[in-house]
Amino acid sequence: NQACPYFALPNVFTPNGDGKNDTFRPMRCERFVERVELVVYNRWGAKVFESSGPTVNWDGRTSDGQELPSGLYYYQATVYYAVLERNAAPSVIKGWVQIIRGGGA
């Protein structure tokens, strides 16, 4: 898409409260992003987190606030852009992210 060709999400984050890499959020280029719908699944395909808003800022907890363990999670982010063409199709980004907590993976 023309609005933000480099919307990218990281593959690892460490929600351990040290103020560094504590949330899963875009690495760059949030310009022109109107809304992002994020759905996160565990390795068995169960939905563990869902959000919709102007950005992604997941803290590694379930939608009801429970801390998720270290491990691999899969996501789908549907990115809607604020562009002149109001019916423009959103970008759908699928990938994986690893949560690393504490002293080990």
Side-chain angles (χ1 to χ4, degrees), residues 62-75:
T62 63
S63 290
D64 60 3
Q66 296 179 26
E67 196 173 272
L68 287 163
S70 293
L72 198 62
Y73 296 85
Y74 300 90
Y75 66 83

Side-chain angles (χ1 to χ4, degrees), residues 23-92:
T23 59
F24 179 63
R25 59 185 179 177
M27 295 185 290
R28 56 184 178 258
C29 193
E30 295 183 60
R31 291 179 310 152
F32 306 112
V33 171
E34 190 171 76
R35 184 174 89 250
V36 181
E37 294 174 357
L38 178 71
V39 182
V40 181
Y41 303 90
N42 66 18
R43 72 178 90 185
W44 299 281
K47 185 189 306 182
V48 295
F49 180 77
E50 190 170 18
S51 71
S52 180
T55 190
V56 171
N57 199 27
W58 180 41
D59 63 359
R61 295 179 181 272
T62 63
S63 290
D64 60 3
Q66 296 179 26
E67 196 173 272
L68 287 163
S70 293
L72 198 62
Y73 296 85
Y74 300 90
Y75 66 83
Q76 177 173 307
T78 305
V79 185
Y80 295 86
Y81 295 97
V83 293
L84 291 177
E85 187 182 335
R86 296 307 301 164
N87 294 324
S91 292
V92 177

Side-chain angles (χ1 to χ4, degrees), residues 7-30:
F7 188 91
L9 291 161
N11 290 116
V12 173
F13 74 111
T14 57
N16 57 12
D18 67 357
K20 298 176 188 169
N21 202 27
D22 280 334
T23 59
F24 179 63
R25 59 185 179 177
M27 295 185 290
R28 56 184 178 258
C29 193
E30 295 183 60

